[in-house]
Amino acid sequence: MGKLDFLAELGIETENDGGYAKEWCGSGSLLESFAPADESVIASVRQCDAGDYENIMANAAKAFACWRLEPAPARGEVVRQLGNEFRKHKVALGKLIAWEMGKIQAEGEGEVQEMIDIADFAVGLSRQLYGKTMHSERPGHRMYEQWHPLGTVGVITAFNFPGAVWAWNAMIAAVCGDVMVWKPSSKTPLTAVAIQKIVNNVLEPLEWNGVMSLLVGSSRDVGELLIHDRRVPLVSATGSCHMGRKVGEAVAKRLGRSLLELGGNNGIIAMDDADPEMVLRGVLFGAVGTTGQRCTSTRRLFLHRDIASDITGRLVKAYGQVKIGNPLDPDTLMGPMVDGGAVDTYSAALETIKKQGGEVLYGGNVLDQTGHYVEPTIVKAKPSMEIVGDETFAPILYLFEFDSLEDAIAMHNSVDQGLSSSIFTRNMQSVERFLSAAGSDCGIANVNIGTSGAEIGGAFGGEKDTGGGREAGSDSWKAYMRRQTNTLNWSDELPLAQGIQFGD
Ligand code: NAD
């Protein structure tokens, strides 16, 4: 058995006794994928070039011509089969996500569960793409709205959720009648190849090839083609605020639509009446989980002055017990960072933190071993520290103290990003203040739950520099469709709206 034996179950051929995979996606240059746990090369993936891009776009357009006319519940049936196929491969795909991205296996499998959940949600949605009916002001007239598919949706995803974010988009867009072209992160190409193989197992026998296609390639070579392409009416892009500005601008220039899911800088407010154990567990999962590489990772913790020293002491103790190591080892709580660049970002941030007056209470070191391992870090911070305004995509937690909830909310809302937030309290007034229009300015505001680990049933996304997009549940599906208002005259007259008499 090779160390990557789970790849065989995913239909990926390996060499070197199962230790190395070669997969061909297109006819461009080779892209190597590295395991962050031991820095070994796990795969070479042949990327798409401009010619492949054109073929993929042509196939997608051809598929759309038929897929848009398939009844939505029949499209839902195809998505149901996809969900079942994800179920079958949950463990193997979860392991691959862990091995290629670095999150622990439990989180890798949790990510596949999200793919299953959103498929289930989309199946139900396929019978609920409701439009409104309204009363016309004119006699013998009927008015209603209906929703039609948009066309080819470009899906650009980040490395940290190499499967779930694609699925949030693809499952919903599929029941809406769109076809998808997916550009994954170049840090996780093998996960994308494995997912596309699972998709093909379902779509090929049904002759629905072209409904979901994969475009492995760099942002420069294929990403730029996608965002400037007028044949792509919607680009759904997940990644940094920097990327979102570029994508948003390019798509807006051609009057296309973009759905942006960008960086967060998420905070937890712990009031003096909060349950300290719940705070501890919420913060630990939020700040240390996924090695601080979730868009919803907890980056800032605001502690009421009366409980600050107690909670800080508990946190430092808990951080000391976090087992760092191989993401496939069931005892590991924190895996490696995704690559050497991410470790450099962590180190550079710590330099800046010290220069700006932050006090490292725990961690702050890169581990001296093979693999991209760092210590989870707690910093006693000052509101004046500029670096706190940045999303440093690493397990660094800033602590602040406050005296009143108003002050805590003001500090919390002072950053540019607006993704996820939470408060720990048992006081109803504090809860309502935090959730009011003068409270958290984020797209997600939780009570007695941390900032990360959203369920797919709610609309997911954030405000301000996080981009304003909404994905997953609730009525997020509307972003993937175009609305049409229909007015039908069943009378024998032709009355004009607003009672206008014209040429009578
Ligand atoms: P990134 O911005 O470096 O890359 C994201 C994706 O965008 C990649 O596929 C990349 O190739 C592509 N890309 C970059 N420039 C492009 C361009 N000009 N044209 C087309 N495509 C382009 O982000 P990352 O490092 O992979 O992921 C981490 C970031 O993603 C963090 O900021 C995190 O908060 C954010 N994120 C946000 C959410 C959310 O839902 N809000 C979810 C996951 C990750």
Side-chain angles (χ1 to χ4, degrees):
M1 291 270 277
K3 74 178 175 188
L4 301 187
D5 56 307
F6 51 85
L7 290 181
E9 192 199 314
L10 297 168
I12 292 175
E13 285 175 27
T14 53
E15 295 179 351
N16 302 345
D17 193 22
Y20 176 79
K22 269 192 179 171
E23 284 294 327
W24 285 261
C25 225
S27 33
S29 58
L30 277 178
L31 170 69
E32 287 190 322
S33 176
F34 295 86
D38 65 4
E39 302 177 42
S40 61
V41 181
I42 55 175
S44 289
V45 176
R46 194 164 286 288
Q47 303 180 92
C48 296
D49 62 13
D52 299 319
Y53 177 84
E54 281 306 316
N55 290 338
I56 286 171
M57 291 304 293
N59 281 341
K62 209 166 135 204
F64 179 63
C66 302
W67 185 244
R68 66 184 168 182
L69 293 175
E70 189 74 354
R75 298 193 293 247
E77 165 55 23
V78 176
V79 169
R80 189 185 65 77
Q81 294 182 36
L82 286 170
N84 284 347
E85 205 66 13
F86 298 149
R87 268 187 183 87
K88 256 195 243 164
H89 299 294
K90 179 174 167 180
V91 175
L93 189 55
K95 280 186 178 174
L96 172 56
I97 289 173
W99 193 241
E100 192 176 38
M101 183 272 160
K103 64 178 69 176
I104 60 172
Q105 190 180 332
E107 291 188 69
E109 287 184 36
E111 177 161 355
V112 184
Q113 187 59 47
E114 270 190 63
M115 298 169 68
I116 296 165
D117 291 346
I118 197 76
D120 287 353
F121 181 92
V123 176
L125 179 66
S126 70
R127 291 181 185 270
Q128 299 173 75
L129 300 170
Y130 301 133
K132 284 184 176 165
T133 303
M134 53 286 288
H135 288 269
S136 168
E137 65 190 44
R138 287 169 280 185
H141 283 57
R142 183 161 78 84
M143 276 177 78
Y144 66 95
E145 288 175 351
Q146 57 174 338
W147 294 84
H148 288 313
L150 280 175
T152 302
V153 174
V155 181
I156 298 173
T157 56
F159 78 85
N160 65 329
F161 275 92
V165 171
W166 165 81
W168 290 359
N169 283 280
M171 299 304 108
I172 302 292
V175 296
C176 291
D178 297 317
V179 297
M180 275 68 60
V181 173
W182 176 22
K183 196 210 94 54
S185 163
S186 297
K187 294 177 184 176
T188 49
L190 195 58
T191 299
V193 167
I195 290 173
Q196 186 65 40
K197 279 177 179 274
I198 292 173
V199 166
N200 292 348
N201 289 344
V202 173
L203 295 190
E204 275 174 7
L206 298 172
E207 297 184 7
W208 281 123
N209 318 33
V211 168
M212 295 178 188
S213 336
L214 177 61
L215 188 65
V216 174
S218 69
S219 53
R220 199 188 49 241
D221 293 336
V222 295
E224 290 281 334
L225 290 176
L226 193 65
I227 63 179
H228 287 100
D229 195 331
R230 287 181 61 84
R231 293 169 295 183
V232 183
L234 171 67
V235 176
S236 174
T238 302
S240 57
C241 299
H242 174 75
M243 176 280 289
R245 278 198 186 88
K246 280 196 170 168
V247 171
E249 199 180 304
V251 177
K253 220 173 194 169
R254 60 178 174 83
L255 300 181
R257 284 194 210 172
S258 50
L259 195 170
L260 301 176
E261 295 284 357
L262 312 175
N265 194 349
N266 317 294
I268 291 180
I269 296 174
M271 299 299 289
D272 48 353
D273 61 350
D275 178 327
E277 270 309 301
M278 281 172 73
V279 174
L280 184 70
R281 285 175 46 214
V283 173
L284 203 61
F285 180 65
V288 172
T290 328
T291 321
Q293 297 170 112
R294 281 191 185 216
C295 52
T296 52
S297 287
T298 308
R299 311 213 176 274
R300 298 174 300 140
L301 175 61
F302 303 95
L303 296 169
H304 190 282
R305 204 170 300 282
D306 292 351
I307 57 162
S309 109
D310 175 44
I311 300 280
T312 305
R314 288 174 193 247
L315 269 175
V316 168
K317 196 168 157 214
Y319 267 53
Q321 288 162 1
V322 170
K323 187 165 179 306
I324 304 166
N326 185 325
L328 295 181
D329 179 342
D331 292 333
T332 300
L333 209 56
M334 194 178 105
M337 301 204 65
V338 69
D339 59 15
V343 174
D344 292 345
T345 302
Y346 167 88
S347 302
L350 278 151
E351 286 297 307
T352 310
I353 285 166
K354 287 173 198 159
K355 271 191 209 144
Q356 294 184 358
E359 184 191 342
V360 177
L361 300 180
Y362 184 88
N365 300 302
V366 176
L367 297 192
D368 186 17
Q369 65 186 73
T370 308
H372 305 299
Y373 296 100
V374 302
E375 287 177 334
T377 300
I378 303 174
V379 173
K380 189 169 181 191
K382 297 177 185 159
S384 60
M385 287 168 57
E386 269 183 33
I387 191 166
V388 173
D390 300 336
E391 180 201 40
T392 301
F393 217 53
I396 301 174
L397 177 69
Y398 299 112
L399 302 191
F400 301 90
E401 293 182 14
F402 67 89
D403 294 302
S404 73
L405 178 56
E406 281 62 36
D407 288 350
I409 290 173
M411 274 198 281
H412 173 273
N413 289 354
S414 67
V415 296
D416 291 335
Q417 310 84 348
L419 181 54
S420 186
S421 59
S422 81
I423 189 168
F424 280 78
T425 181
R426 292 192 178 106
N427 182 304
M428 199 191 82
Q429 284 185 325
S430 303
V431 170
E432 293 293 342
R433 269 189 207 143
F434 179 72
L435 300 179
S436 77
S440 163
D441 61 1
C442 291
I444 297 166
N446 296 330
V447 177
N448 294 326
I449 300 173
T451 55
S452 65
E455 297 178 25
I456 58 95
F460 180 93
E463 301 300 330
K464 305 196 289 184
D465 286 7
T466 302
R470 289 297 185 277
E471 283 174 0
S474 186
D475 64 353
S476 305
W477 59 271
K478 290 179 178 170
Y480 302 86
M481 303 197 84
R482 62 185 170 88
R483 184 199 309 239
Q484 188 176 66
T485 303
N486 306 115
T487 310
L488 270 82
N489 177 3
W490 53 273
S491 74
D492 296 321
E493 307 296 325
L494 192 61
L496 298 178
Q498 292 85 46
I500 292 173
Q501 301 294 319
F502 191 77
D504 294 335

